[in-house]
Amino acid sequence: MALLSKATSLALVQNVHRLVGLPNGFPPPEAPPAPRVRLRAPGTRSAEHVDVAVIGAGPAGSAAALIAARAGLKVLLLERGEYPGAKNVSGAAFYGSAIMDELIPRWWEQAPVERYLSRRVLAFMAPETSVALDFRSARFAEPPYNGVAILRPKFDRWFADQAVAAGAFLLNAAVVDDVLWEDGRVAGVRVRRDGGDIRADVVIACDGANSLIAKKAGLQRQFHAHEMSLGVKEVLALDEATIRERFQLSGNDGMAVEYIGSITEEVSGGAFLYTNRNTLSLGIIGQISSLAQHKRRPYELLEGFKAHPAVAPLVRGGTVREYSAHIIPEAGWNMLPKLATGGMMVAGDAAALCFVAGLYLEGINYAILSGIAAGETAIAAYHEQDFSAASLARYETALKARHVLGDFHGYRHAPAMVNSERLQNLYPAVIAHAAEQIFRVRGEPKQKIGPIALEALRQHKVAPVELIQDMLNAGRSFGW
Amino acid sequence: MVTTLEERMRTVRFRVDDRPHILVNAGICKDCSVRACVYVCPANLFVPLDDGGILFNYEECFECGTCYIACDKEGAIQWSYPRGGYGVTFREA
């Protein structure tokens, strides 16, 4: 593998730009300079051919590209944004440190990490009260760190650069409209430009939650509005010292808070708040069907969240640096697409590999795991020169080996449970109500907790049969 | 301290394409009474008109897809991504 000189790389960039019909000098000047590229020795294939075309330079795409490029395959990583991460939004808490460590040892020393999440809070919200479970671990504040707060435009850009350093070729500002077919299998991608067809032995679709490619290739069906949630988010500027003091953090330790209950009023959903170095990331998530049904505007719910008496003191004085929105595939196991076909695999959010289960809100880790699995499958297929559906079906085996499918299957009942009416609004209210009764001192005889709990259930009209059903359901979803 | 949507939207960078990436079929919208798009769009880009139609502006679109997922009228919203490099460009999100 020869490392090409800068001049040669520039010529290559221009070639690829010509190939996909982009004028030279595009993307615009504010985009980062074209990366140095390494290619394996010229083969017998024509210039328009790559071994692997990865659609989307998010965590799944960059992981897949990095793995395949390291094995010496010719990898083209296509990103529709001005740069990787330009179109991407997450909370963002990243709980995949150990996985990333496998790819890039001691990655946290070089990646743009905001804070190490050593404090996790789960808060049950009622209109004026809240009850929270507050977990802290000093061990979470030590390498390799359990979770970190990140900002996606910065993190994704760094991760894509790692794939480039491994030899992948990154093409920004390239939107893929469809896949190419040949002999009944996927044989490349169609970039939106005249003559933008690029042939590839393997296409890995990592084009995100709203993956048009998985649908066009017939691997994913149309979504139902109850399977998808909309997240709207703000990044608020707040100085570092205030963040440390307000959230009781030392150094670069950080905190992740997930809010459930009436924080999104009658809408099924929740809210989140993460501490970054000198900003806060916070937002609300609402099930799309539920937003539509209740005719609620997401940014109004965001305003309501920020005004809640338990939240307002946390965000006070913060000025909005950026507002953003993105959808989240929430139905887990029940909306997984067909994961592979001849010449093609689907990974990350495009494969709906987003783990949403109340206690857990994870996606970036599963994106990377699935990207690795897809990359490894592509490498095996390349060595055998067999890109048939049967060959790429090994992707599913790889996903099982990396416990991805096991996790989603194990928690397959959780998404519906978490988005159910009673879990969303009724039980958090009961918990908050009972807590208020327990802590309120009236100068009357002290009630014991049993009668208080029964009274809270009665006042909120919880039917005993439903309660038992829900407890069994919760057990089935989370317990065993 | 209340932040208005207009103030929020001013914090977002868009590189506006001269071609819309989403087309709304006003003819179909006229017969729709649900109008989910009007409520769910995080950028408030769907504005109901007095004549029963919908006014849509693609320029400050987050490209999230919520509108077409919420819409239950076949063919009302024709959705695609903007040209490469155009549209929303997040810096912090």
Side-chain angles (χ1 to χ4, degrees):
Chain A
M1 289 205 291
L3 187 62
L4 300 180
S5 72
K6 229 170 191 152
T8 323
S9 328
L10 183 64
L12 267 166
V13 172
Q14 288 170 351
N15 272 339
V16 176
H17 279 191
R18 249 197 308 282
L19 176 66
V20 296
L22 292 172
N24 285 332
F26 198 93
E30 62 265 37
R36 292 191 306 164
V37 291
R38 254 191 310 181
L39 295 177
R40 68 199 172 90
T44 50
R45 306 278 197 177
S46 68
E48 298 88 348
H49 182 275
V50 293
D51 298 324
V52 181
V54 180
I55 308 169
S62 289
L66 187 149
I67 286 275
R70 265 189 197 160
L73 276 63
K74 187 170 164 187
V75 179
L76 178 60
L77 179 55
L78 296 150
E79 167 56 47
R80 70 183 185 88
E82 228 174 86
Y83 47 80
K87 303 287 186 183
N88 303 351
V89 184
S90 291
F94 169 45
Y95 297 109
S97 187
I99 305 153
M100 190 63 111
D101 199 27
E102 230 183 88
L103 284 181
I104 301 154
R106 302 190 73 76
W107 67 277
W108 54 85
E109 288 173 358
Q110 45 161 309
V113 167
E114 293 292 320
R115 285 179 182 277
Y116 311 117
L117 298 171
S118 59
R119 186 174 175 204
R120 289 200 63 179
V121 176
L122 180 66
F124 299 90
M125 308 297 281
E128 284 167 332
T129 49
S130 64
V131 181
L133 179 73
D134 189 340
F135 174 80
R136 282 170 183 258
S137 169
R139 278 187 293 280
F140 280 10
E142 291 163 8
Y145 306 107
N146 181 64
V148 298
I150 57 169
L151 296 167
R152 292 288 302 275
K154 295 173 183 173
F155 181 84
D156 289 10
R157 212 162 160 167
W158 167 82
F159 195 19
D161 281 346
Q162 308 311 303
V164 169
F169 190 90
L170 170 67
L171 185 63
N172 288 315
V175 61
V176 175
D177 277 331
D178 209 342
V179 291
L180 308 174
W181 291 88
E182 196 178 280
D183 302 330
R185 74 167 188 86
V186 172
V189 293
R190 174 155 293 160
V191 178
R192 192 185 305 169
R193 289 284 153 179
D194 289 338
D197 288 1
I198 298 171
R199 297 174 48 77
D201 288 331
V202 179
V203 172
I204 306 177
C206 307
D207 52 332
N210 187 17
S211 171
L212 302 185
I213 295 301
K215 285 181 191 161
K216 283 205 171 135
L219 300 183
Q220 181 62 291
R221 55 172 168 77
Q222 293 299 319
F223 300 125
H224 301 296
H226 67 266
E227 296 172 323
M228 282 287 187
S229 286
L230 169 67
V232 295
K233 175 186 164 183
E234 280 178 2
V235 174
L236 290 185
L238 213 57
D239 70 85
E240 223 172 310
T242 305
I243 290 177
R244 274 200 210 110
E245 218 160 286
R246 194 173 285 184
F247 297 94
Q248 303 152 29
L249 304 166
S250 348
N252 282 337
D253 289 0
M255 169 174 170
V257 194
E258 265 99 39
Y259 299 88
I260 58 171
S262 68
I263 195 65
T264 44
E265 300 181 35
E266 68 275 51
V267 173
S268 286
F272 59 88
L273 187 151
Y274 303 115
T275 54
N276 302 316
R277 201 166 291 257
N278 53 15
T279 56
L280 302 178
S281 291
L282 61 129
I284 64 104
I285 294 167
Q287 191 181 28
I288 295 179
S289 57
S290 186
L291 284 166
Q293 182 199 338
H294 297 290
K295 298 189 185 305
R296 294 309 309 267
R297 295 172 189 261
Y299 38 89
E300 288 173 3
L301 296 177
L302 175 62
E303 205 53 54
F305 166 52
K306 287 170 73 181
H308 189 282
V311 181
L314 301 179
V315 301
R316 192 190 307 129
T319 50
V320 183
R321 281 262 284 267
E322 193 171 60
Y323 172 57
S324 55
H326 211 280
I327 55 168
I328 307 162
E330 290 214 333
W333 183 256
N334 297 309
M335 68 184 298
L336 292 190
K338 190 167 182 283
L339 293 161
T341 184
M344 178 172 171
M345 290 172 275
V346 191
D349 270 8
L353 292 172
C354 196
F355 197 88
V356 183
L359 284 174
Y360 308 108
L361 198 58
E362 301 174 15
I364 304 168
N365 49 346
Y366 289 105
I368 294 175
L369 279 170
S370 60
I372 295 172
E376 286 173 345
T377 307
I379 295 164
Y382 173 81
H383 287 306
E384 294 160 17
Q385 285 294 300
D386 179 1
F387 308 102
S388 64
S391 171
L392 298 188
R394 286 176 290 185
Y395 174 43
E396 207 168 313
T397 316
L399 283 174
K400 280 182 190 143
R402 291 194 173 267
H403 70 75
V404 174
L405 293 183
D407 287 1
F408 280 81
H409 185 258
Y411 281 81
R412 66 194 178 283
H413 301 298
M417 168 90 204
V418 167
N419 271 331
S420 73
E421 193 75 32
R422 292 198 289 273
L423 200 84
Q424 277 288 323
N425 286 333
L426 188 57
Y427 295 134
V430 172
I431 292 170
H433 177 105
E436 185 164 343
Q437 297 310 311
I438 289 168
F439 293 128
R440 188 182 283 281
V441 179
R442 284 200 183 84
E444 290 169 7
K446 268 222 178 325
Q447 268 193 306
K448 292 190 112 171
I449 289 176
I452 290 177
L454 285 176
E455 178 58 18
L457 288 167
R458 201 189 58 79
Q459 275 204 19
H460 290 270
K461 299 188 178 69
V462 178
V465 177
E466 287 175 348
L467 178 64
I468 292 164
Q469 271 176 359
D470 288 338
M471 284 168 77
L472 284 173
N473 203 357
R476 187 174 66 140
S477 301
F478 294 97
W480 52 84
Chain B
M1 189 188 67
V2 175
T3 314
T4 65
L5 180 65
E6 287 67 35
E7 287 167 330
R8 281 199 180 91
M9 294 305 292
R10 274 201 293 276
T11 65
V12 193
R13 192 174 135 211
F14 295 95
R15 190 161 186 265
V16 181
D17 196 355
D18 49 8
R19 284 170 270 183
H21 58 286
I22 296 173
L23 295 173
V24 176
N25 188 329
I28 295 176
C29 299
K30 273 197 163 64
D31 299 327
C32 171
S33 57
V34 180
R35 308 199 152 189
C37 56
V38 173
Y39 302 98
V40 299
C41 173
N44 194 24
L45 301 179
F46 295 81
V47 180
L49 297 174
D50 290 343
D51 69 353
I54 294 276
L55 179 70
F56 171 73
N57 185 346
Y58 69 97
E59 291 181 4
E60 297 198 333
C61 172
F62 286 120
E63 304 152 35
C64 67
T66 304
C67 55
Y68 86 84
I69 293 168
C71 179
D72 54 8
K73 294 279 179 292
E74 188 72 36
I77 298 176
Q78 201 186 319
W79 206 100
S80 69
Y81 286 115
R83 264 193 294 167
Y86 287 91
V88 68
T89 299
F90 293 120
R91 291 156 295 170
E92 307 258 0

